[in-house]
Amino acid sequence: MDAEKQKMLRAPFPPERISQIPRKTKSGATVRLDYVGHADVTDRLLAVDPAWTWEPVTPEEYKTLPPSNGLWIKLTVCGVTRYGFGDAQGKTGGDATKEMIGDAIRNAAMRFGVALDLWSKSDPDAPLAISEPEPAKTDPDWLRDAGIGLDEAKT
């Protein structure tokens, strides 16, 4: 996948494409979470790769993934495949199946950067705090002092 396609996948959605859904926190409070619907994610995938595909994970592959009561899929966009998971959040029957598929596609698309800004709690434009490793101590005095310390430890 080239840089232009990656940029298209990660482009922010316009505000009119962003919806909100209420969710309970562990403390019992209700918060409203931003999300992009299945149709808008599908539209983004089609714009980037009209031949994108998804398939359910095989039973053999499923054994290597975290256990769940939902659907694991493989989403392929521009020849790159990533996993996603979807659940039905209490729905049953055909509605549950559709919910799991849509949720899994949105989840897998996020692994490509689609609507990632809505999931992140940090500023996407902030520079990453990557610390430089400490340089190796090659100071001759340090080496001499270490040798003296070893000699003293022997006595």
Side-chain angles (χ1 to χ4, degrees), residues 119-130:
W119 286 89
S120 178
K121 292 182 172 92
S122 60
D123 179 358
D125 297 322
L128 294 176
I130 300 173

Side-chain angles (χ1 to χ4, degrees), residues 62-75:
Y62 188 81
K63 293 174 189 172
T64 67
L65 298 168
S68 67
N69 289 324
L71 173 69
W72 280 101
I73 68 163
K74 293 186 293 184
L75 176 68

Side-chain angles (χ1 to χ4, degrees), residues 82-103:
R82 300 204 170 125
Y83 289 98
F85 175 76
D87 68 21
Q89 300 183 7
K91 294 182 180 176
T92 59
D95 285 341
T97 302
K98 289 189 300 184
E99 181 75 22
M100 284 190 290
I101 292 168
D103 195 38

Side-chain angles (χ1 to χ4, degrees), residues 12-86:
F13 282 86
E16 62 272 10
R17 299 288 177 120
I18 298 171
S19 300
Q20 290 191 327
I21 189 166
R23 286 285 188 249
K24 292 271 187 200
T25 65
K26 290 179 184 176
S27 68
T30 300
V31 296
R32 298 190 68 73
L33 301 176
D34 290 338
Y35 77 98
V36 177
H38 176 249
D40 291 316
V41 170
T42 299
D43 185 52
R44 174 69 53 89
L45 294 173
L46 287 168
V48 172
D49 179 8
W52 71 273
T53 62
W54 74 271
E55 62 183 299
V57 168
T58 66
E60 295 78 30
E61 289 175 297
Y62 188 81
K63 293 174 189 172
T64 67
L65 298 168
S68 67
N69 289 324
L71 173 69
W72 280 101
I73 68 163
K74 293 186 293 184
L75 176 68
T76 302
V77 181
C78 298
V80 177
T81 301
R82 300 204 170 125
Y83 289 98
F85 175 76

